[in-house]
Amino acid sequence: MSERREISYTLQELADKMQVSLKGDPKNRISGVADLESATENDASFLANARYEKTMASSKAGVIVVSLQQPLGSESEQKNFLLTDDPSSAFQELIELFAQDKAKSSYFSGIHPTAVIHESVQLGKDVTVGPYAVIEKGAQIGDGTTISSHVYIGPDVFIGKGCIIHPQVTIRESCRLQ
């Protein structure tokens, strides 16, 4: 079993991944997302509506995603910002990034000893198969995919690269997920 890791990114890494501009400390680390009021210095948040500007000013968020046109007053000098044309979409991208990474940061990696995998199954590189998962004859699982606990994958199923199959999911015969 591997140690569970805390997912975090520097602001520069986030700006590069999202292809947005950064104003602030590029080395500041972010490990999650939250709304403006409850965000901590480790969280990303966003402002998409001007009526929440006062909340933004008092927010403790480690970074705030804002519009390129958002006026940043003097009270924002100590804050970090990711600047984009579409703050709502950029924040959704952040949510998905952290959700995907946290789903992949399982308590273990590789194939759990209780998983039942037919000998004909083709597993890609860096695939994780959780406890009590069942993968039937002829299935193909792409590189970097995570199959969580108690998942059933039927015969001749194809699952592409980098997918996350959450617990208790059944994927019936001959389905294709990309």
Side-chain angles (χ1 to χ4, degrees), residues 21-102:
S21 299
L22 167 63
K23 177 184 182 282
D25 180 3
K27 295 179 183 175
N28 191 50
R29 294 198 79 78
I30 300 297
S31 58
V33 294
D35 63 73
L36 284 168
E37 289 181 321
S38 62
T40 70
E41 64 276 355
N42 300 315
D43 293 321
S45 194
F46 83 112
L47 176 73
N49 188 320
R51 70 179 168 184
Y52 296 106
E53 286 179 356
K54 284 186 180 181
T55 306
M56 179 184 77
S58 64
S59 179
K60 295 187 180 0
V63 68
I64 303 171
V65 180
V66 296
S67 169
L68 288 166
Q69 289 75 40
Q70 175 66 37
L72 301 175
S74 60
E75 70 277 355
S76 66
E77 289 297 318
Q78 303 301 317
K79 295 190 181 300
N80 298 306
F81 296 95
L82 293 174
L83 306 157
T84 178
D85 287 328
D86 187 352
S88 295
S89 292
F91 190 66
Q92 181 62 39
E93 188 178 340
L94 277 175
I95 291 169
E96 290 171 9
L97 176 68
F98 282 104
Q100 183 178 47
D101 282 349
K102 286 185 179 179

